[in-house]
Amino acid sequence: MSTLDLGLPARVPSPEPAGLPDAVTIWEVGPRDGLQNEQGVVPVEVKLEFLHRLGAAGLSIVETTSFVRPEWVPQLADAAEVLAGLEERDGVRYPVLVPNARGLDRALEAGVRDIAIFAAATESFTRRNLNRGLDEQFAMFEPVVHRAVGEGIAVRGYLSMVFGDPWEGPVPVEQVVSAGRRLLEMGCAQLSLGDTIGVATPGQVESVLRAFTAAGVPVSQLAVHFHDTYGQALANTYAALSQGVTTVDSSAGGLGGCPYAKSATGNLATEDLIWMLDGLGIHHGVDLRALAATSTWLAEHLGRPSPSRVVKALT
Amino acid sequence: MSTLDLGLPARVPSPEPAGLPDAVTIWEVGPRDGLQNEQGVVPVEVKLEFLHRLGAAGLSIVETTSFVRPEWVPQLADAAEVLAGLEERDGVRYPVLVPNARGLDRALEAGVRDIAIFAAATESFTRRNLNRGLDEQFAMFEPVVHRAVGEGIAVRGYLSMVFGDPWEGPVPVEQVVSAGRRLLEMGCAQLSLGDTIGVATPGQVESVLRAFTAAGVPVSQLAVHFHDTYGQALANTYAALSQGVTTVDSSAGGLGGCPYAKSATGNLATEDLIWMLDGLGIHHGVDLRALAATSTWLAEHLGRPSPSRVVKALT
C-alpha cells in the first residue's frame, strides 16, 4: 500500500523552528575527509571537476585536500597538483588540512589561505596517530597555528574522538572541553567536534555542547562533524542545531566509507543534511539537485552508488 | 587518520535525557511492512523462522502479516499459512493488518487477537488506495473496528501520508488531527502516524505531535512510523521522543525497500533505533546483536545486504 514512486517528493512548509538557527554554514569535507577514506585514488582532473561542481552548487566552504604525508594517505598525495589546478570561485573558501609544520610549509608554498589541523581528545588516538601523548600534541600544533595566524591564515581545529574512542571507550566530557579550549586558546578560530567512529547519540551531543558553552566557549566557534557508521549522524546534527550550532561538516554523497565494508565510516551526507535544513526552514545556500547530480557523477568514477538516501531517491 | 576498524564500538554512558521517556516500545513491522515492500516472495518457513527470531531477540510486538488481497500484495498472500505455523511466544503480541471487513473475517478465522487498520490523511491517497474519499474511508473502517473491539481485539489505526502526500504535497495539520481523532473515536486504541513517503523533518514531527496533544489526544496513544527515503527517519524519531512518544515503529534491518532502487522506501531500521535508544539510556528490552544477526540472516535470503548502518557495522 505504501509502494509509491512518483519522482517528485512532497515538501512541507517549515514550521517555526524553536531554538534553531536561521542559517547554517555547511563545511563540505568530501574532497578531503571523503576521498581520503575511499578505496582507490581519484585522478586530479576528476578532483578538480568535483571541486568546481561543489562551488557551483553553492557550497561556500570546500575542504580541498590535505598535506599529510603521501605514504600515509595516497589518496591525497596529489595535494599540490590539485591546488595548482584549482580555479577558485569568488566567495568560496578552500581550506586545506595541515598535519604539522612541514605540512604548513607546503601549504604556504601552494598559496593556501585557510587551513585546518587535526587533533584528538584521547591519549590512545594521539599516540597512534601522532606518536605523541594527548598533551604533547599541543606542543606540536602550537607553533604551526601561531605561524599560520601570523601569516593571516584562518585556522580550524579538528578535535577527533570527542564522543568515543575505539581503545578507551567513553571520553570524559571535561577532557574534551579541556582539549578543545587549548586549540582555541592557541589561535584556532573554530573548533570542529568530531565523532570519528560514529558512536555518538543525540543526548551526548547536547551534553558536550552544553559543557563547552558552560566553559565560556561561544557556540559560534563550534562546528560538529558526524560519521554515519551507526546511522546516528543526522539525529546528532539535529541535536547540535537545537543547541545553536551554525556550522555543520558533511560530505557530498556521504563520501568516506564503502557502504558495504565492515566499518562503514562515511560522513554525514550533505544532501541528507540539506533535506533536513530545508524542512526546518534553515538557510544554507546550496542547490540540492545540482549537488545530488554531482555526487551521482562522482559515484560513477568511484564505481559504487552513493550511500546518501537523498541522492538515491532523487537521481 | 580516521580509518579505524576495531570491531568493538565504544559506547558512552547515557547522559540524563531531558524530557525523553524512560522506556520505549518498539513496534516491529519488518515481517509485514518490510516484506510487503521487498521484491520477491519469502517462503513461509523463512518467515516463521524470522518471526521466531524477532521474538527471541526481545521484541514484544511483531506485526506478523496482512490479510490484504493476495493479488495486491503477493508477498503476503501466505498470511493464513504463516499464522497457522506461528508458534506464539509468551509476552509477545503478533498483530495482523486487516484492510476491510473481509480481512477481519479471515483474521478472526485464523484466531488473531490483535489487528491494525490502514487509513490515510489525504483524499488523493484514499482515492487511489481504497477507491474512496477521505471521509468515506471512515464509513468502511468503523464497522470493522466496532466488530473487532466487540470481540475483545486490540485495534491499531495506521494513519498514512501524515507528513506529505505525493499528489497533494504538504498536508494541513488540522486535517491530520481530524482524521486521527476519528480513528481513535471509533475505537482504535493506538494511532500510528506514518510518513509513508519519507519526506518529514523533525520540526514538522514536533508540530504534528503538539497539535494532537493540544486537541486532547494523550501522547501515550500515539506512535510514529518513519521511512528513511530521505535519510530523516532517526532524526524524526528523536524529535518524536522529545515530545514524549513511547511507541516507535521500525523494521529489522531496515527491510522494506531496496537500497539501490530509485525509490528507497525502507522503514527506519530497528537496529539503528536501538543504537540511539541505548545511547539515550531509554529501555527497550531488545538484544541488539541477536537482532542484527537475524537481519543479516534474512538479508542472505533476500539476496542483498541490509541497509541498516548498525547491521553493516556490527556484522
Side-chain angles (χ1 to χ4, degrees):
Chain A
M1 290 178 211
S2 56
T3 47
L4 297 165
D5 180 11
L6 299 180
L8 279 179
R11 296 318 304 277
V12 296
S14 339
E16 331 66 72
L20 297 175
D22 294 329
V24 154
T25 300
I26 298 173
W27 188 292
E28 169 62 44
V29 299
R32 200 278 302 168
D33 195 22
L35 291 183
Q36 162 180 326
N37 288 299
E38 292 286 335
Q39 290 182 339
V41 178
V42 174
V44 173
E45 320 76 80
V46 174
K47 289 183 179 176
L48 290 173
E49 172 75 9
F50 185 38
L51 290 163
H52 170 76
R53 291 178 70 150
L54 292 172
L59 287 154
S60 59
I61 307 182
V62 182
E63 195 164 299
T64 301
T65 185
S66 166
F67 277 115
V68 70
R69 281 168 59 180
E71 56 272 35
W72 293 349
V73 184
Q75 292 92 332
L76 304 183
D78 56 9
E81 259 183 289
V82 167
L83 289 168
L86 178 66
E87 289 185 30
E88 296 202 6
R89 195 182 189 89
D90 278 354
V92 180
R93 291 168 57 191
Y94 297 92
V96 171
L97 190 73
V98 157
N100 50 31
R102 173 73 190 113
L104 179 60
D105 291 340
R106 295 174 64 204
L108 291 172
E109 281 161 28
V112 166
R113 305 302 302 157
D114 218 324
I115 68 164
I117 60 167
F118 192 88
T122 62
E123 182 82 15
S124 303
F125 189 66
T126 51
R127 287 264 167 232
R128 281 164 180 82
N129 191 45
L130 302 170
N131 198 26
R132 279 176 173 76
L134 180 57
D135 280 334
E136 294 169 308
Q137 69 178 330
F138 301 111
M140 184 188 83
F141 286 126
E142 194 156 37
V144 177
V145 174
H146 284 178
R147 185 168 160 220
V149 170
E151 300 267 359
I153 284 175
V155 183
R156 160 182 257 213
Y158 279 105
L159 190 63
S160 62
M161 301 298 169
V162 163
F163 302 97
D165 175 284
W167 297 277
E168 299 180 19
V171 184
V173 174
E174 315 76 59
Q175 183 176 320
V176 170
V177 172
S178 165
R181 290 184 67 184
R182 289 184 72 167
L183 294 174
L184 292 170
E185 282 159 10
M186 72 173 66
C188 290
Q190 188 179 65
L191 190 61
S192 174
L193 302 170
D195 181 20
T196 318
I197 55 172
V199 295
T201 46
Q204 192 189 7
V205 171
E206 293 172 13
S207 297
V208 168
L209 289 168
R210 276 197 296 262
F212 270 104
T213 52
V217 176
V219 74
S220 59
Q221 285 196 287
L222 299 173
V224 288
H225 181 106
F226 296 118
H227 283 240
D228 211 25
T229 319
Y230 297 92
Q232 311 294 307
L234 197 64
N236 288 338
T237 302
Y238 181 61
L241 296 176
S242 76
Q243 298 298 308
V245 166
T246 56
T247 302
V248 178
D249 298 5
S250 63
S251 168
L255 275 176
C258 175
Y260 290 128
K262 182 171 170 57
S263 179
T265 52
N267 288 274
L268 170 62
T270 306
E271 290 88 347
D272 298 8
L273 169 62
I274 288 174
W275 188 275
M276 185 172 78
L277 295 177
D278 281 343
L280 294 170
I282 298 175
H283 299 287
H284 53 76
V286 183
D287 178 335
L288 176 58
R289 285 182 185 272
L291 183 63
T294 298
S295 295
T296 302
W297 161 83
L298 186 66
E300 283 163 19
H301 280 280
L302 293 168
R304 66 167 183 84
S306 160
S308 158
R309 312 281 195 203
V310 169
V311 171
K312 270 187 210 124
L314 290 186
T315 58
Chain B
M1 288 176 208
S2 57
T3 47
L4 297 165
D5 180 12
L6 297 180
L8 279 179
R11 296 317 305 277
V12 295
S14 337
E16 331 66 72
L20 298 175
D22 295 330
V24 154
T25 300
I26 299 173
W27 188 292
E28 169 62 44
V29 298
R32 199 277 304 169
D33 196 22
L35 292 183
Q36 161 180 326
N37 289 298
E38 291 286 334
Q39 290 182 339
V41 177
V42 173
V44 172
E45 320 77 78
V46 174
K47 288 183 180 177
L48 290 172
E49 172 74 9
F50 185 39
L51 290 163
H52 170 76
R53 291 178 71 149
L54 291 172
L59 287 154
S60 59
I61 306 182
V62 182
E63 195 165 299
T64 301
T65 185
S66 166
F67 277 115
V68 70
R69 281 168 58 180
E71 56 272 36
W72 293 349
V73 184
Q75 292 93 332
L76 303 184
D78 55 9
E81 258 183 291
V82 168
L83 290 168
L86 178 66
E87 290 186 28
E88 297 201 7
R89 198 181 186 86
D90 278 352
V92 180
R93 290 168 57 192
Y94 297 93
V96 170
L97 190 72
V98 158
N100 51 30
R102 173 72 191 114
L104 179 59
D105 290 339
R106 295 175 64 203
L108 292 172
E109 280 162 29
V112 167
R113 303 304 301 157
D114 217 324
I115 68 164
I117 60 166
F118 192 87
T122 63
E123 182 81 16
S124 303
F125 189 66
T126 50
R127 286 263 169 232
R128 280 164 180 81
N129 191 46
L130 301 172
N131 198 27
R132 280 175 173 76
L134 181 55
D135 279 334
E136 293 169 310
Q137 68 178 331
F138 301 112
M140 184 188 83
F141 287 125
E142 194 155 35
V144 177
V145 174
H146 283 179
R147 185 169 161 217
V149 170
E151 301 266 359
I153 285 176
V155 183
R156 158 182 258 213
Y158 278 106
L159 189 63
S160 63
M161 302 298 168
V162 162
F163 302 97
D165 174 284
W167 297 276
E168 298 179 20
V171 184
V173 174
E174 316 75 60
Q175 183 177 320
V176 170
V177 172
S178 164
R181 289 184 67 184
R182 288 185 70 168
L183 293 174
L184 292 170
E185 283 159 9
M186 73 173 66
C188 290
Q190 188 179 67
L191 190 62
S192 173
L193 302 171
D195 182 19
T196 319
I197 56 173
V199 295
T201 45
Q204 192 190 5
V205 172
E206 293 173 11
S207 297
V208 168
L209 290 168
R210 277 197 295 262
F212 270 104
T213 49
V217 176
V219 74
S220 59
Q221 284 195 288
L222 299 173
V224 288
H225 182 106
F226 295 118
H227 283 240
D228 211 26
T229 319
Y230 298 91
Q232 311 295 306
L234 197 63
N236 289 338
T237 302
Y238 181 60
L241 296 176
S242 76
Q243 297 299 309
V245 165
T246 55
T247 303
V248 178
D249 298 6
S250 63
S251 166
L255 276 176
C258 176
Y260 289 129
K262 181 170 171 54
S263 179
T265 52
N267 288 275
L268 169 63
T270 306
E271 290 87 349
D272 298 8
L273 168 63
I274 288 175
W275 189 275
M276 185 172 80
L277 295 177
D278 281 345
L280 294 170
I282 297 175
H283 298 287
H284 52 76
V286 182
D287 177 336
L288 176 57
R289 285 182 185 272
L291 184 63
T294 298
S295 295
T296 302
W297 161 82
L298 187 66
E300 284 163 19
H301 280 280
L302 293 168
R304 66 167 183 83
S306 161
S308 158
R309 312 282 195 202
V310 169
V311 170
K312 273 190 205 115
L314 289 187
T315 58

